[in-house]
Amino acid sequence: MDETRVPALPAPLSDTGVNPRMEEARQRMYAWADSYGLIPGAVRVHMDRSRMEYLSALYYPTADAETFDVVTGWILWGTLVDDVMDDGQADQAPTVCRTAMAQALAYLEHGHFTDTPVIRALDDLWRRTAEGRSEGWKRSFISHWRQGWQSGCASQMDRLSGRTPSVAEYRERRRHDIKMLPMADLLEVALHIDLHEDIRHLPALEAQHNLASDYAGLVNDLVSVDKDLALDGPQNVVTVLRAQEKCTIPEAIERAREMTRECVRWYLRAESELPVQLDAAGASGSQRVDALRYAHSHRATFNGNRQWHLEVPRYTHHYDTEQGGEAAHLTDLLAMLGEA
């Protein structure tokens, strides 16, 4: 992987730190996942290479031990489910994937419990997360999961039919299917705050939320472009740009790099606009303080996405694809998803 594909971030977004509880949380994360049968066989090897506890430590650098375990559980759970949708083999068993997504939404939206490893683990996470949370926060969190899974299914259908979306359509879809939006919702949980719904949906805060997700999708695509080109199937902003703009791969990569820089610029603009919007909304006291803390916490996700993608073996070494490790990991994941 060529590190120059991912641009350096401006210094104001970079100094966010790493949660010091990461190493001890790693053991608890695996013990929790093992208790639900979430990481069978080759899945454990893939998760070792992915270091999801490190991504969590970058996203939530100040979370206390109990909360850090919860948000790390969500990152691991979301990654396991997302991997099946995102890596080619899901196209061979789309019904299994869509059934698992439907079961998760039926649980989150209506409390319908299906006795599978994925839903048992989801039940535990949701109970620990939702307690004391406002209805507005819970609606936002569940809605972001629904949008993510719907976008993932749409991308799967495009792959199966050979359709290439426009750049605008791809970017809107990618905002959701990268699953960064619910992870950004968890910033409130990590900070022990719960914003008033009117404050949460201020234009500046929504922009920051969306831009953090846009940036995550772009960075993921940039570091995955070699693998995606080799597979000649998964969509990537680089391949979509090449198709729409009739440009070369290096030209498309540079355009995608500029998109990441645009995300940072627009984020900083939204951050500067937030105090005025809070004044206009009449936000004061703890709500104003909490909104500013929440806005600032998005900086950790920008830094975290860049740092994690550039450092973990999942992206720095693609040897598992050559040796069959990727196929084995996906086979085990599909088996786990289909287990009743």
Side-chain angles (χ1 to χ4, degrees), residues 15 32 39 47 56 197 274 288 312:
D15 188 18
W32 174 82
I39 48 176
M47 288 299 108
S56 183
E197 198 158 6
L274 180 59
R288 184 184 183 87
V312 298

Side-chain angles (χ1 to χ4, degrees), residues 237-255:
V237 70
V238 173
T239 60
V240 174
L241 280 163
R242 177 183 61 175
Q244 178 172 305
E245 300 186 2
K246 310 299 182 187
C247 61
T248 65
I249 289 296
E251 289 170 339
I253 287 173
E254 182 52 39
R255 177 69 186 105

Side-chain angles (χ1 to χ4, degrees), residues 7 10 22 30 130 158 160 164 169 211 255 302:
M22 178 179 67
Y30 277 128
D158 272 353
L160 289 169
T164 299
E169 180 186 357
L211 287 162
R255 177 69 186 105
F302 277 85

Side-chain angles (χ1 to χ4, degrees), residues 10-314:
L13 295 185
S14 298
D15 188 18
T16 48
V18 179
N19 196 304
R21 300 169 179 85
M22 178 179 67
E23 291 304 328
E24 59 192 58
R26 172 186 173 85
Q27 301 306 316
R28 292 195 297 271
M29 176 188 76
Y30 277 128
W32 174 82
D34 284 336
S35 72
Y36 290 101
L38 289 179
I39 48 176
V43 180
R44 173 61 183 259
V45 176
H46 191 68
M47 288 299 108
D48 281 342
R49 297 179 61 241
S50 300
R51 297 191 61 200
M52 304 317 302
E53 77 287 349
Y54 181 41
L55 184 62
S56 183
L58 290 164
Y59 281 179
Y60 315 109
T62 62
D64 61 72
E66 182 178 357
T67 307
F68 188 60
D69 284 350
V70 173
V71 294
T72 302
W74 277 111
I75 286 182
L76 176 67
W77 183 89
T79 299
L80 290 169
V81 175
D82 189 53
D83 276 355
V84 184
M85 293 295 295
D86 198 39
D87 285 307
Q89 202 174 97
D91 298 344
Q92 301 171 25
T95 301
V96 173
C97 300
R98 290 198 295 272
T99 297
M101 304 307 111
Q103 289 171 347
L105 284 172
Y107 173 78
L108 288 172
E109 295 181 338
H110 308 294
H112 295 164
F113 182 84
T114 306
D115 193 15
T116 65
V118 169
I119 303 304
R120 288 195 293 271
L122 175 61
D123 176 62
D124 176 68
L125 283 174
W126 184 240
R127 290 177 184 276
R128 287 192 286 157
T129 306
E131 183 178 2
R133 291 271 112 198
S134 68
E135 292 302 312
W137 184 90
K138 288 186 281 189
R139 279 194 300 271
S140 177
F141 188 67
I142 293 170
S143 175
H144 286 147
W145 280 116
R146 170 178 281 281
Q147 290 171 313
W149 289 326
Q150 287 174 336
S151 293
C153 286
S155 295
Q156 187 183 65
M157 292 304 102
D158 272 353
R159 290 197 300 270
L160 289 169
S161 66
R163 174 182 179 269
T164 299
S166 69
V167 173
E169 180 186 357
Y170 176 82
R171 290 195 67 186
E172 175 62 26
R173 185 186 296 168
R174 191 66 166 140
R175 171 179 292 173
H176 298 290
D177 71 22
I178 193 67
K179 312 300 189 303
M180 184 66 231
L181 293 174
M183 297 304 106
D185 288 325
L186 290 171
L187 291 169
E188 289 190 56
V189 175
L191 294 170
H192 294 286
I193 63 177
D194 199 323
L195 298 175
H196 189 280
E197 198 158 6
D198 291 341
I199 301 299
R200 184 179 294 116
H201 294 294
L202 285 175
L205 280 181
E206 287 207 328
Q208 289 175 290
H209 203 97
N210 289 335
L211 287 162
S213 188
D214 293 345
Y215 182 84
L218 288 165
V219 170
N220 184 270
D221 281 3
L222 282 164
V223 300
S224 302
V225 67
D226 289 341
K227 184 184 80 169
D228 290 348
L229 285 170
L231 291 173
D232 193 28
Q235 291 172 357
N236 183 300
V237 70
V238 173
T239 60
V240 174
L241 280 163
R242 177 183 61 175
Q244 178 172 305
E245 300 186 2
K246 310 299 182 187
C247 61
T248 65
I249 289 296
E251 289 170 339
I253 287 173
E254 182 52 39
R255 177 69 186 105
R257 292 181 66 206
E258 176 56 28
M259 289 176 177
T260 66
R261 292 189 285 266
E262 289 172 353
C263 285
V264 175
R265 288 195 293 268
W266 282 103
Y267 169 85
L268 290 170
R269 175 174 172 173
E271 192 174 60
S272 70
E273 293 171 343
L274 180 59
V276 177
Q277 292 184 14
L278 289 170
D279 289 342
S284 60
S286 63
Q287 274 293 319
R288 184 184 183 87
V289 171
D290 288 348
L292 292 170
R293 289 177 64 211
Y294 170 69
H296 184 78
S297 69
H298 284 87
R299 290 171 174 248
T301 69
F302 277 85
N303 173 62
N305 275 307
R306 182 182 189 277
Q307 192 165 330
W308 180 73
H309 278 95
L310 288 177
E311 293 181 12
V312 298
R314 177 187 178 110

